[in-house]
Amino acid sequence: MPFHILITDPLSEEGIQPLRNTENMNIVIDTDLTPEELAVKIADFDALLVRSQTQVTSEIIRKASNLKIIGRAGVGVDNIDLDAATEHGIIVVNAPNGNTNSAAEHTMAMIMSLSRKIPQAYNALKNHQWDRKKYVGVELKDKTLGVVGLGRIGSEVASRAKGQRMNIIAYDPFLTEERADKMGIGYGTIEEVLQAADFITVHTPLLKETKHLLNADAFQTMKKGVQIVNCARGGIIDEEALYEAILSKKVAGAALDVFEEEPFLNNKLLELPEVIATPHLGASTIEAQENVAIDVSHDVVTFLTGGSVKNPVNLPSVPREIMNKIEPYFNLAEKLGSFLIDLTGEVAEEVNIFYSGDLSEVEVAPLTRNTVKGLLKRHLGDHVNDVNALYLAERKGISVNENKTSSTKGFTNLLTVEVRTKSDVRKVSGTLLNGMGPRIVKVDNYSVDVTPVGHIVVIHHQDQPGVIGRMGSLLAQHHINIATMQVDRSDIGGNAIMMLTVDKHIEEKELETLKELEEIYDVTAINL
Ligand code: NAD
Ligand code: MLT
């Protein structure tokens, strides 16, 4: 079966070669779709690749019944409804590194154009005006550049601006004084940066917290004559407040690559001679476009062919060497989750997962997601996956806790899942035996050794002579063949467990007849 890939923003042809070079990828490029047309078309596709133009809203995602992955060829994912994608189990990947250099170079080009009024002078000359007095600029040397957001691009801009002999002062919630010292730049609070800077450049994502980060109050704090640069995202600067700050001469100039509304045909900021602008060109270089398209194409191919992606946005990224260690446990974790939810037969309120031995030394979040996936799939169906498992558990009010313990009970690795329901606490432990695959080794407090696959029957009974035989005969009457059997008990004549693997699914009415035996407390059929 081919995978259907839809590309709705212009992407570099060289960049999508990884998709073209993979078998069974049916690629459709349509960059002129209206939102309504996309909402209809999206149902047929497994993957969607976009830049910043396509708005992947919750309405589009709701209609995307086959969509598995959204690839954003670029950094910012503010055009994708991440919550909706997560809820629908759609992984979102981006290309965080491919355009860093281009965006930093564009920012420097904007800072230099702004300081020397190059676009304005060029425009005048094109209009046959030779005016040397009007376009007197300022030097960058010894001026202070305030960098708000010192991530990939902010750091690159800072290091380039040092080359222009500028003093740098930066604010980023993750920046420490030590790191700033190491980078040879100044460190300040946002207020200190705004107060000290002659030029301010923003490089944060657009988030609730950064929306209108530079607003009327922020402009008040700044030096008179400050110049502002935004090559990050429209909306980080309040455009109305910037307009007023330029009119009042508080701000001497602004260079904008991004806008609150894009694309636009009229924006009153562009009527001001102090404002220079480009139409979201920060990442528009041949190199960056190729890099980002290659990165997302690789992740889309990897994901659709069953591998782990490099740049997930709505899943924590786990380094490959750690992934290699934990991948073999994915199946065990999911099976333990499914086993336990069938065993309890009740709604889980709390899930506690205990990782012991080798597993206590690695990143276990992907295993937790697989366990919860197994637990939820029974009732929510196959749309539960690694992406939405924890989100759905939270929405259902199930608390999920990870614990690491050193006690291995003799196993080199042990994964124990405990489910608490309103009336009960049940648990199951599993291990991965070297070269022999996964095993269930404990159910509640009973020791067993069962491969978690196929049809399993868990029977709680009283330890009495003849019970096992009578159970065998009853199953035989229903033409149910026993493949394996494990028995354990708490004490002689006390509570006991029989765990059988059988060759076919046991129907409800057959289960009822098994429960009629006097010594039987409970029988549960589990299909893994
Ligand atoms: P990044 O994630 O590496 O860096 C963002 C930084 O912002 C982080 O260090 C983060 O800690 C910091 N931050 C978050 N909230 C903050 C706050 N309230 N105050 C100060 N700092 C805060 O991202 P990046 O790759 O450097 O990209 C930065 C921005 O540039 C993004 O918005 C991205 O979409 C945009 N971008 C634009 C273009 C373009 O074409 N114009 C190209 C590439 C990236
Ligand atoms: C990004 O966030 O990567 C940029 O805005 C570039 C783009 O729009 O592709």
Side-chain angles (χ1 to χ4, degrees):
M1 279 267 287
F3 289 112
H4 300 283
I5 323 281
L6 178 63
I7 300 177
T8 56
D9 287 329
L11 294 192
S12 145
E13 185 51 43
E14 285 71 25
I16 61 171
Q17 286 310 304
L19 286 168
R20 294 218 187 273
N21 295 340
T22 308
E23 269 179 32
N24 284 329
M25 298 284 162
N26 167 34
I27 301 164
V28 175
I29 301 179
D30 193 341
T31 54
D32 288 321
L33 291 171
T34 63
E36 293 73 29
E37 288 165 341
L38 177 59
V40 173
K41 197 162 185 157
I42 194 68
D44 299 333
F45 289 89
D46 300 284
L48 172 67
L49 268 70
V50 300
R51 280 187 65 192
S52 54
Q53 201 85 354
T54 303
Q55 297 302 310
V56 192
T57 59
S58 59
E59 287 75 38
I60 303 282
I61 287 170
R62 264 204 305 277
K63 300 277 171 61
S65 43
N66 286 310
L67 199 65
K68 297 162 186 66
I69 181 164
I70 300 170
R72 162 68 169 101
V75 188
V77 282
D78 39 297
N79 56 324
I80 299 169
D81 189 326
L82 284 181
D83 287 343
T86 304
E87 182 180 352
H88 287 79
I90 299 167
I91 189 167
V92 178
V93 295
N94 71 347
N97 301 306
N99 61 25
T100 301
N101 196 58
S102 290
E105 286 182 4
H106 195 76
T107 307
M108 289 313 296
M110 292 295 251
I111 293 174
M112 298 186 80
S113 303
L114 188 63
S115 66
R116 302 304 294 268
K117 302 187 184 2
I118 290 171
Q120 294 93 327
Y122 167 74
N123 237 348
L125 209 48
K126 290 277 273 189
N127 287 321
H128 313 288
Q129 294 163 15
W130 181 274
D131 195 342
R132 296 182 67 206
K133 273 196 208 126
K134 197 168 174 187
Y135 302 111
V136 174
V138 290
E139 284 191 358
L140 296 182
K141 180 169 170 284
D142 296 334
K143 298 290 182 315
T144 298
L145 175 67
V147 181
V148 179
L150 200 75
R152 287 174 291 257
I153 298 168
S155 306
E156 286 294 322
V157 168
S159 96
R160 283 165 169 76
K162 277 169 63 182
Q164 295 296 331
R165 316 276 192 272
M166 295 187 86
N167 303 313
I168 317 293
I169 179 165
Y171 167 70
D172 187 300
F174 292 105
L175 180 67
T176 58
E177 211 157 353
E178 251 182 335
R179 196 173 145 241
D181 272 354
K182 267 197 193 138
M183 291 174 72
I185 65 175
Y187 160 90
T189 62
I190 179 100
E191 288 75 21
E192 286 165 345
V193 170
L194 299 185
Q195 280 162 10
D198 301 297
F199 288 79
I200 295 171
T201 182
V202 291
H203 296 284
T204 69
L206 178 64
L207 307 167
K208 261 200 323 282
E209 300 73 24
T210 57
K211 170 113 183 153
H212 291 180
L213 190 64
L214 298 195
N215 55 19
D217 287 345
F219 287 121
Q220 276 306 315
T221 327
M222 296 174 197
K223 272 186 187 172
K224 189 165 177 354
V226 66
Q227 311 219 40
I228 307 290
V229 181
N230 185 2
C231 291
R233 271 294 175 277
I236 298 171
I237 298 178
D238 177 346
E239 288 183 1
E240 192 57 44
L242 175 62
Y243 186 82
E244 293 301 326
I246 294 173
L247 286 188
S248 72
K249 307 280 179 221
K250 179 81 179 187
V251 170
L256 307 173
D257 182 48
V258 286
F259 301 86
E260 295 204 36
E261 202 186 306
E262 291 180 21
F264 64 82
L265 293 176
N266 288 308
N267 181 318
K268 66 179 183 180
L269 275 168
L270 295 193
E271 289 160 15
L272 301 175
E274 294 87 349
V275 175
I276 64 168
T278 44
H280 203 144
L281 294 183
S284 292
T285 61
I286 291 166
E287 294 86 349
Q289 284 316 302
E290 202 172 308
N291 291 341
V292 293
I294 287 176
D295 288 351
V296 282
S297 298
H298 272 307
D299 260 358
V300 167
V301 168
T302 306
F303 185 77
L304 292 178
T305 53
S308 339
V309 297
K310 257 201 187 144
N311 297 308
V313 175
N314 53 350
L315 268 184
S317 148
V318 178
R320 179 55 12 223
E321 61 276 17
I322 295 180
M323 211 59 177
N324 288 343
K325 282 191 189 157
I326 58 174
E327 236 163 26
Y329 295 93
F330 281 8
N331 180 264
L332 173 69
E334 184 177 341
K335 296 282 184 174
L336 293 184
S338 300
F339 179 90
L340 202 50
I341 210 65
D342 278 355
L343 194 66
T344 58
E346 270 189 287
V347 178
E349 292 189 340
E350 186 181 318
V351 181
N352 298 309
I353 309 173
F354 300 87
Y355 297 95
S356 324
D358 293 352
L359 288 174
S360 66
E361 285 155 24
V362 289
E363 163 66 59
V364 289
L367 294 179
T368 299
R369 285 199 293 274
N370 272 281
T371 309
V372 175
K373 177 168 80 178
L375 275 160
L376 296 183
K377 254 186 167 175
R378 279 291 191 256
H379 302 299
L380 299 182
D382 275 346
H383 85 279
V384 182
N385 62 20
D386 293 10
V387 178
N388 59 11
L390 290 180
Y391 172 91
L392 293 173
E394 193 188 339
R395 225 181 52 182
K396 300 261 167 237
I398 304 168
S399 81
V400 178
N401 309 300
E402 277 171 5
N403 308 272
K404 287 186 173 177
T405 70
S406 50
S407 131
T408 61
K409 301 190 171 72
F411 295 96
T412 53
N413 59 76
L414 194 68
L415 175 55
T416 298
V417 188
E418 177 189 87
V419 163
R420 289 176 176 264
T421 66
K422 211 173 213 62
S423 59
D424 212 356
V425 182
R426 305 298 297 268
K427 61 183 178 191
V428 61
S429 302
T431 190
L432 200 62
L433 293 179
N434 201 358
M436 293 166 73
R439 290 285 192 279
I440 294 176
V441 292
K442 230 170 177 40
V443 175
D444 298 323
N445 289 321
Y446 300 105
S447 295
V448 292
D449 178 3
V450 175
T451 305
V453 68
H455 309 292
I456 298 176
V457 193
V458 182
I459 302 160
H460 283 93
H461 60 100
Q462 194 187 0
D463 179 40
Q464 289 281 310
V467 185
I468 296 173
R470 282 198 286 284
M471 180 55 73
S473 311
L474 254 182
L475 286 167
Q477 281 170 29
H478 294 298
H479 306 286
I480 296 167
N481 187 38
I482 299 173
T484 68
M485 173 181 271
Q486 292 276 309
V487 186
D488 192 27
R489 63 186 180 187
S490 56
D491 46 37
I492 299 171
N495 290 337
I497 191 176
M498 250 185 267
M499 250 177 99
L500 318 177
T501 56
V502 293
D503 289 348
K504 75 175 192 74
H505 172 64
I506 303 188
E507 302 295 336
E508 197 52 44
K509 57 181 189 309
E510 296 165 338
L511 270 186
E512 290 309 315
T513 64
L514 303 182
K515 288 178 192 167
E516 282 165 12
L517 279 183
E518 204 186 321
E519 304 86 349
I520 303 298
Y521 303 139
D522 190 30
V523 185
T524 314
I526 296 170
N527 295 308
L528 293 178

